[in-house]
Amino acid sequence: MCIRDRKYHDYLCGNLLYDNFNLTMRQNLLFILGALSAMPGAAATDIPDGWSLYDLIPPADRVLLFDYDAEGKKLPILWGFDTAWNDYGNMLRGVRYSRGADVGVARVSFQPWAKIEEKGKLPPMLQENLEKRLANVALNERRVDIALNLDGGENTVKAIYGGLDGANNYVGDPDAAAEEYALLIDATAAAVEEAGYRVVSAAPFNEPDYFWNGTPINVFDKINRRLKDFDAYPRFRDIRISGGNTLNCDQAMPWYSELKEYLDEGNTHQLAGDFDHYADFFATVRADGKYATADELHNVMEAMVGVEYGMQTGIWWGSAEQARGEFMKASAGERLGYAENRKAWSAASVYRAPSGRVQAFLGCSERQARPSTYKLVSRNGDVYVDGFGPVREYVASLPGDPNGGYQTDQQRNAETVLNITRGADIQPAIDGAYILVNAASHMVISGKDGNTNNANDIVQRSYTGGADQHWAFRHVPETQGGDFSYFFITNYGTSQALDDNNWNIEVGGKVISYGLSGAGVQQWALEYDGDGWFHIRNKQSALYLECDGGENAPALQQERTDNANQRWRLIPMGSPVEFDAPSAPTGLTAAGRNASVMLEWDEMADEVTYMVLRAEAGTDDFNTIARGLKSTAYLDNTVTPGVAYDYKLVAEDASCNRSVPSASVEGETVGNGMTAWFPLDNSMDELAANGWSMRTHEDPSFRAGYKDGIKALFFRKTQYAQLPYSAFSGDSFSLALWTRIGAASEGDYLFSTGVSEDETLYLTPRTEGEMRLVAVNGDVTRQIAVPAIQDWNHVAIVVDGGDVKLYLNGECVGSDDFSDAMPQCRLLSYLGRGHGLKDTYLTGYVGDLRIFNHAITPETVKETMTGEYSGVSQIVDDAEVVAVEYYSPQGIRLDAPAPVGITIVRTIYSDGRVVTRKVIADRN
């Protein structure tokens, strides 16, 4: 074979696969094209494909699976706000952030600061304090119920109620104190009812394990018993008695267990203690038939865990901001997935809100978190996370003290909400410098008089390109502290930040520029409205950025409306500020291959990028599977065999204007064949026609392999390889490879596909003296077990629906019906690892991996073992040519064969087979 290009010749000479395998000419040419596609400037880089658009996702501590379209689990919660910390701003922010949520309760304190002289009537001081709390409760937009709770700590407690000594030990007569407390709680309830509210719960003590230094359980119990005397206290027939309200959830069960005979409600906080005790507490309370409450939530993690184990009411300590407010709304919908990390004191969940919005929530303990990561995995298609994508896997991290210290500086009380979207209109991924344009005026956010000095007003002006009109959007880091769902918006030239002037939370407050401090007044949330437009919300005020008027109209903060003067487009800096949409793309065609569909279209005169939309044929459920494309071709190698799809294109210009979609075309895979071939001989290159690649999370290592001169991929306990998401998506498939298993590989995984330990098909070469091919689907497990292997062996797995065969060195060594155990979702496919969090990685070698989209025959199994299978069989007379592609020896796509020299010609047939040949034209 004559190779005239010296650089290319040297590249090929480093790969002796074709010499050692004694391949046919067709194999040689297929190998040439595959090698070309991996070279810089080759066809694979010119034509983007779906698999290459996904980022390489690292492992995570926990995996959260969700199905975007599935029916989720209903776990409604009654939410509330607190006035023990009686703060007007806390309540107002909570009300604004939670609009649309089921907010139905507020916690209000009774105070043992004065004695009840007349039964059922508060003294003036306590009445005045109660009214201050109820004034903030009235900020709620509907009449809420009241949960009463103790607010102690004054010296008068000792004198009046026989409270604490200097060491915080209880002193006094328990019976007398219990009677005084019962009178106080009853009088407070009467005053609340007089104000027009319903009392639903009363907790005699708050955090008694902390404030009372020990166990005044007998006093608590005596109070409960008195309030349950309905002849003496008739109003408590309809009021739940709550306990024990412990700060440390380790103490929740002991207090509750001692008190529960006269309790209607179990209640705990989570500021210290063990995750198991927190979760078990709610489960136990519900199992006892009592009401379960956490009346002092400090983090969305506590709320998620509470919901999982039975909590019915959750009341926020302090304020509810973006993540908490969105979680409150979402919890009235359906939960699509949940995961937790008990050691790290963290949790994550995915919800579909009643509005249809799908969101992920993550959070960790306020005081005792450890760092943790969560991998969100979409089971049923591409999604976008806050505009980033397309993704099937997305890793989010949470901070904490690595040493697990309590309430240290590394405890950040971190929480966040992520918007998960799919469809034809996906928000831009925001991270960079932008021009902030108003939808009503088409003017841009600017500094007044062209500067962004400290305390200077922010206004809208016509775009001039001045330095004061460019703004950098940067995500608040997870280590910032608290809710990190926000952005800092800073002037690109000066780093001065958009700022809520003087911490103002009132409607109409102005926006100024000020030096970046990182405070809540300088944090802003983005809410996508569609067609490239956003609402922008300030963290401190929970109000929205608005400019209403013309030139130099001030930027103010207002309650949300759907008016255009509150909608903003983020046009990348350097792009023109204009709003003329490009014309629709034309000439879209779709050509099927055995595991992919090639899309091509006409080049447009406008300078645009392209979005590819796809829906199952016959539906109108189009999803964006690629965007930002600059080429006029795209290989969709994320398809499921046998499924027909409709495709459309949308053009987008630099100013975020989008065209209407193109006319749709239909495409689907055609024929059976070898969908991927990885020789793994000193390279991760793939040699079939579907553009797939194999990915490793460390640099791959190649060592001497199973035949002289041939290397194989070496796995060394710290590395594994990931295969394309759609590699095993069909009902039938096959996998064949050479492997050598090291002596230290007991229980290791050679291959796995699925999504979790409970939904997987895997092969372990040596486990308790056996090689095992195992399928798990929920509670059902099936396996084929044969003697364990060592040294070099050829292994093949052939799946024909539920019929599964295992081959060893060309011979079938086991078969079974796996129909009821075969995982339905085979999204995550690996070499060298399984799906368990504690699975050990492989020590061993893998070479000559081949994947097929059908159940191969015993003869083909033997051909893959001997190297005789080329992946290209004789073309039959009725096979139609689907596409013919031309490439230079350097892998550059050509419109036609070169008039002189070598042309690589690839012909794709309707049965999915590919023939690659070399054509040499000379000057004569």
Side-chain angles (χ1 to χ4, degrees), residues 58-81:
D61 300 325
R62 296 292 184 272
V63 175
L64 193 166
L65 301 169
F66 68 95
D67 186 331
Y68 190 96
D69 298 315
E71 182 177 347
K73 193 173 184 179
K74 295 276 191 179
L75 296 164
I77 298 294
L78 182 67
W79 299 104
F81 300 118

Side-chain angles (χ1 to χ4, degrees), residues 132-381:
K132 290 178 181 177
R133 285 172 161 80
L134 293 178
N136 284 333
V137 171
L139 295 172
N140 284 276
E141 295 174 344
R142 68 182 175 98
R143 183 63 59 128
V144 299
D145 295 329
I146 302 299
L148 293 179
N149 181 272
L150 172 66
D151 179 12
E154 293 291 327
N155 290 333
T156 51
V157 174
K158 299 177 187 176
I160 300 172
Y161 294 93
L164 309 177
D165 63 16
N168 284 339
N169 293 303
Y170 179 75
V171 296
D173 180 352
D175 289 303
E179 183 60 29
E180 295 292 347
Y181 268 108
L183 289 169
L184 173 62
I185 297 168
D186 178 64
T188 306
V192 170
E193 291 173 350
E194 181 67 23
Y197 294 92
R198 181 172 71 128
V199 179
V200 294
S201 173
F205 286 168
N206 181 60
E207 296 182 349
D209 57 319
Y210 176 71
F211 288 107
W212 294 81
N213 190 27
T215 56
I217 288 181
N218 61 335
V219 180
F220 204 145
D221 185 58
K222 289 176 182 292
I223 298 170
N224 296 346
R225 289 171 182 268
R226 278 168 170 74
L227 294 176
K228 284 292 186 179
D229 180 353
F230 299 141
D231 292 333
Y233 297 98
R235 78 179 78 253
F236 283 86
R237 294 179 186 274
D238 300 316
I239 298 175
R240 297 189 300 270
I241 304 302
S242 178
N245 300 67
T246 56
L247 177 150
N248 187 324
C249 59
D250 290 350
Q251 298 300 315
M253 195 62 69
W255 280 79
Y256 167 79
S257 297
E258 288 289 330
L259 298 167
K260 72 178 183 179
E261 182 181 357
Y262 290 93
L263 289 180
D264 308 292
E265 179 175 86
N267 192 341
T268 189
H269 307 160
Q270 194 289 295
L271 292 175
D274 180 78
F275 193 119
D276 292 349
H277 289 131
Y278 185 67
D280 292 346
F281 175 76
F282 293 115
T284 300
V285 171
R286 292 299 300 276
D288 288 344
K290 299 181 186 295
Y291 198 89
T293 292
D295 71 349
E296 194 172 300
L297 293 171
H298 289 240
N299 187 280
V300 75
M301 177 279 303
E302 301 170 35
M304 287 188 285
V305 176
V307 169
E308 169 69 5
Y309 295 100
M311 183 183 76
Q312 293 165 279
T313 288
I315 299 174
W316 298 102
W317 171 259
S319 189
E321 295 169 351
Q322 187 78 2
R324 299 178 188 182
E326 293 300 299
F327 185 72
M328 293 162 71
K329 288 180 274 191
S331 67
E334 301 168 89
R335 194 180 70 184
L336 306 180
Y338 171 80
E340 64 188 32
N341 186 333
R342 294 196 172 199
K343 182 178 179 180
W345 258 110
S346 63
S349 61
V350 175
Y351 276 81
R352 184 189 301 110
S355 66
R357 175 180 289 181
V358 176
Q359 295 165 301
F361 300 89
L362 298 98
C364 57
S365 170
E366 178 187 86
R367 302 186 183 187
Q368 55 194 60
R370 294 189 179 192
S372 58
T373 54
Y374 286 85
K375 180 183 290 187
L376 311 180
V377 178
S378 170
R379 293 173 58 100
N380 66 327

Side-chain angles (χ1 to χ4, degrees), residues 492-532:
Y492 188 73
T494 65
S495 295
Q496 295 286 98
L498 291 188
D499 188 291
D500 169 16
N501 183 40
N502 288 329
W503 301 79
N504 187 3
I505 62 173
E506 302 302 334
V507 170
K510 67 181 182 179
V511 178
I512 63 170
S513 59
Y514 211 86
L516 181 64
S517 67
V521 291
Q522 295 179 353
Q523 297 181 36
W524 303 81
L526 301 182
E527 298 177 4
Y528 187 58
D529 296 319
D531 194 27

Side-chain angles (χ1 to χ4, degrees), residues 649-661:
L649 284 179
V650 172
E652 183 177 51
D653 64 22
S655 302
C656 305
N657 301 303
R658 299 174 183 173
S659 74
V660 297

Side-chain angles (χ1 to χ4, degrees), residues 624-661:
T624 305
I625 62 170
R627 62 180 181 179
L629 302 178
K630 296 181 179 180
S631 69
T632 56
Y634 173 75
L635 182 63
D636 182 11
N637 54 8
T638 66
V639 294
T640 298
V643 176
Y645 298 95
D646 288 333
Y647 293 91
K648 293 181 180 180
L649 284 179
V650 172
E652 183 177 51
D653 64 22
S655 302
C656 305
N657 301 303
R658 299 174 183 173
S659 74
V660 297

